[in-house]
Amino acid sequence: MSKLCMQTREERRVKLTKKFFLKRKGLRKIINDVNASMEAKELAKKKIQNLPRDSVKCRLRNRCWKTGRGNGVYRFVGLCRNMFRYHAMRGDIPGIRKASW
């Protein structure tokens, strides 16, 4: 997969997650409500199943902003471990330098 393809897919997921967040939250509230009737719960389950799959928050992935890599991403800089090492060695990241003692 190319970097551009993965980034556009991830951007689409972020957009869908924001769009359906309140609707999904309301349906989850009905499903988890103890006092709600079984019919209401079943209807809420059907509605939540009809929502887009990519609108679920757990499908989001932290990706490197430079390469698009999904594994080994440091949150505080948004880079994968390979690019983090490369930029740290060049001195591009303030406050980061190679340890020596």
Side-chain angles (χ1 to χ4, degrees):
M1 290 264 151
S2 67
K3 173 187 164 188
L4 186 61
C5 178
M6 294 305 289
Q7 285 180 339
T8 54
R9 188 181 300 172
E10 199 64 33
E11 288 169 5
R12 188 187 75 228
R13 286 180 180 154
V14 169
K15 197 162 86 173
L16 281 171
T17 302
K18 289 178 182 176
K19 181 178 178 182
F20 290 102
F21 177 75
L22 292 176
K23 189 171 192 176
R24 190 173 284 279
K25 186 177 179 182
L27 291 171
R28 294 299 310 165
K29 197 172 192 178
I30 293 170
I31 292 170
N32 294 329
D33 187 16
V34 178
N35 299 326
S37 66
M38 289 302 289
E39 293 81 21
K41 287 185 179 188
E42 290 296 323
L43 185 64
K45 285 181 185 178
K46 292 275 186 199
K47 285 182 180 179
I48 210 165
Q49 287 174 356
N50 290 332
L51 293 177
R53 183 180 286 175
D54 283 341
S55 67
V56 184
K57 190 177 180 183
C58 67
R59 288 178 70 96
L60 295 178
R61 183 82 187 219
N62 288 333
R63 294 201 169 270
C64 175
W65 62 266
K66 192 157 190 175
T67 61
R69 181 181 166 95
N71 291 344
V73 178
Y74 294 106
R75 288 184 185 194
F76 64 97
V77 284
L79 290 169
C80 65
R81 59 188 173 82
N82 306 329
M83 289 294 112
F84 177 78
R85 183 173 186 268
Y86 173 76
H87 287 289
M89 291 295 169
R90 287 186 50 198
D92 295 340
I93 305 171
I96 303 293
R97 65 177 192 177
K98 192 170 192 286
S100 61
W101 59 87

